[in-house]
Amino acid sequence: MSRRFPGELPPTAGLPLRWRDFLPGDAELGDTLAQLLGTPPMQLECSGTSALRIALQTLQQLQPQRRVVIVPAYTCPLVAIAVHSLGLELRLCDLAPGGFDFDHHALTALCDTDTLAVVPTHLGGRVADVERACAIAGRHGIFVIEDAAQALGAVDRGRSVGLRGDIGLFSLAAGKGLSLFEGGLLLARDPDLRALLGRISRQHIHSDWRWELRRSVELLGLAACYRPSLLPLAYGRPLRRALAAGDPEAAVGDVFPLQIPQHRVGRWRRAVGNRAATRLPAFLDEGRARAQRWNARLRELPGVQVHDDPPGARGVWPLLMLRFADGGQRDAALRRLWTRGLGVSRMFIHALPDYAYLRGIVPAVDTPNARDFAARTLTIGNSPWLDDARFEVVVEELRAALAP
């Protein structure tokens, strides 16, 4: 009989909030994170999607005649929604075979003088080859926006991700390490570009007490429910209901409104994030240590690829990302584990062209490697509550799914 554990584990590792975080305090979250991570000052926005939108608006100011944005064919649907919301042309680049990074030969063919920006993505905390994307983009004077939404705290050759491209962005959404329930950060090496990002934000983003009240209540709910004892209600029950209805997109939260909320982050939420941020470096180090232990066990499984970082990089580990030899094995593993409350899930359900609700936003192009990646991967949440006993059950079930 399958072993059961009390409670539910989350699919990603978010930094648990403490009651002291909610006391009044310093609200300069961007400055605190910059000091902790060794970056120039960071600009706080209400979401990673809003941050991407501001980045694109800023680059439009600099290159108004360019209208094309190139993104990976497997990424968050919100990236496509942000590009579409500005009337820009979305161009999809397939992934490299067996990986999550750009197929750089395909990227070279897609870049031209109409291209405004290329958006390499650090997926699931793993570090992408941004330097190569920058070299390709630089031949045509194209800007590079590093999508590090899932990689706050990751390091590439001694410095924070987000600094190799022209602009970097991070997400502070639920489950993304440090969270304000929703939030985003913008980063730029060049001080003039940094000043322009701030100016564009001030022009377009204004306070909205209704949205801020909603996000404040949601943040309190996240703090209360982000624990195994309450996640069955907040996460597990909706997940199982969606899967029972045959709706995996809803199960992982892949369906988003096409309107992007944009508003100022209030002082209270900034102060909550600022207090919690001081614990982030230690939390990320603990996650790295857990991930190395778990990865060593997972690499013993036959035919399973455990995605890791390239030499010289040190990513963050909100989750572990596994790729199976074929989609049938991956699906067998999910049937055994997805509803067990052990943090096993999927990243994004489809490659971007395969979301029905994005038709008319995403071009209908063939991206075989992205589709293959979506069909053969699953994730394991690397939360602080994933202990040895639970992890051994995950390994046992994966091994059974791989059996001939």
Side-chain angles (χ1 to χ4, degrees):
M1 185 174 181
S2 297
R3 187 174 177 185
R4 295 284 175 181
F5 295 92
E8 179 108 22
L9 302 189
T12 61
L15 175 67
L17 293 171
R18 299 173 179 173
W19 69 266
R20 291 184 182 86
D21 296 333
F22 294 90
L23 299 175
D26 187 0
E28 298 308 318
L29 175 58
D31 291 344
T32 297
L33 283 170
Q35 292 169 8
L36 289 170
L37 302 179
T39 71
M42 294 196 200
Q43 179 174 312
L44 180 63
E45 300 296 337
C46 68
S47 68
T49 313
S50 180
L52 175 58
R53 200 172 188 277
I54 291 165
L56 290 170
Q57 287 175 299
T58 300
L59 299 183
Q60 283 183 287
Q61 291 276 317
L62 298 172
Q63 294 278 9
Q65 75 281 7
R66 298 189 178 215
R67 308 294 298 169
V68 172
V69 180
I70 301 175
V71 309
Y74 183 82
T75 191
C76 180
L78 284 168
V79 172
I81 292 170
V83 174
H84 174 76
S85 72
L86 294 169
L88 296 171
E89 178 187 339
L90 185 71
R91 193 174 287 175
L92 302 184
C93 183
D94 204 2
L95 307 186
F100 66 88
D101 210 343
F102 282 131
D103 178 333
H104 289 101
H105 295 293
L107 180 62
T108 299
L110 289 170
C111 287
D112 57 29
T113 54
D114 292 328
T115 307
L116 175 67
V118 168
V119 188
T121 301
H122 304 289
L123 191 70
R126 309 281 49 77
V127 176
D129 188 354
V130 177
E131 189 168 16
R132 192 168 178 190
C134 288
I136 295 168
R139 296 170 198 160
H140 299 280
I142 298 167
F143 293 106
V144 173
I145 301 174
E146 257 183 90
D147 182 353
Q150 301 176 350
L152 180 65
V155 175
D156 184 13
R157 281 165 283 183
R159 62 178 181 173
S160 170
V161 297
L163 289 170
R164 293 198 177 276
D166 298 285
I167 298 173
L169 66 88
F170 303 99
S171 173
L172 302 177
K176 297 276 180 63
L178 180 67
S179 179
L180 305 182
F181 191 85
E182 281 288 355
L185 295 160
L186 283 167
L187 180 63
R189 287 175 289 114
D190 181 74
D192 292 334
L193 182 54
R194 205 156 57 238
L196 184 56
L197 285 166
R199 189 154 64 248
I200 294 298
S201 180
R202 289 189 295 274
Q203 288 174 2
H204 293 279
I205 311 300
H206 307 287
S207 297
D208 185 325
W209 69 266
R210 295 174 185 83
W211 269 110
E212 188 56 25
L213 176 60
R214 172 175 171 173
R215 294 301 190 221
S216 296
V217 172
E218 288 169 331
L219 180 59
L220 288 167
L222 175 66
C225 294
Y226 195 73
R227 63 197 70 223
S229 60
L230 291 179
L231 277 171
L233 178 64
Y235 168 69
R237 188 177 298 175
L239 167 75
R240 292 168 183 78
R241 187 164 53 241
L243 290 176
D247 191 351
E249 294 175 13
V252 302
D254 267 2
V255 181
F256 302 96
L258 301 185
Q259 297 297 317
I260 300 169
Q262 291 192 283
H263 58 95
R264 292 271 167 230
V265 178
R267 180 177 180 82
W268 178 74
R269 276 201 303 142
R270 298 200 312 270
V272 172
N274 196 62
R275 283 185 181 274
T278 60
R279 302 193 303 278
L280 182 64
F283 177 79
L284 295 178
D285 285 343
E286 291 164 5
R288 290 184 182 104
R290 283 195 307 274
Q292 294 312 311
R293 289 171 54 214
W294 306 146
N295 284 344
R297 293 282 287 115
L298 293 169
R299 291 191 183 100
E300 298 171 0
L301 297 171
V304 173
Q305 176 187 354
V306 182
H307 286 277
D308 208 334
D309 295 317
R314 188 170 65 115
V316 294
W317 293 90
L319 48 81
L320 315 174
M321 192 159 50
L322 309 185
R323 180 172 176 267
F324 290 74
D326 60 63
Q329 289 181 341
R330 193 284 308 271
D331 291 345
L334 285 173
R335 284 193 294 271
R336 290 176 169 274
L337 286 165
W338 204 351
T339 60
R340 288 283 298 278
L342 295 171
V344 174
S345 186
R346 293 173 66 179
M347 179 81 70
F348 308 118
I349 297 298
H350 305 298
L352 285 178
D354 298 329
Y355 289 96
Y357 81 102
L358 294 180
R359 287 173 190 157
I361 292 176
V362 173
V365 295
D366 188 24
T367 56
N369 294 334
R371 285 178 169 138
D372 181 71
F373 191 86
R376 292 166 60 182
T377 56
L378 62 73
T379 61
I380 305 170
N382 186 32
S383 77
W385 302 292
L386 180 60
D387 55 23
D388 290 318
R390 287 178 171 86
F391 187 75
E392 286 306 315
V393 171
V394 172
V395 171
E396 289 168 12
E397 295 292 1
L398 291 175
R399 198 179 299 278
L402 293 166

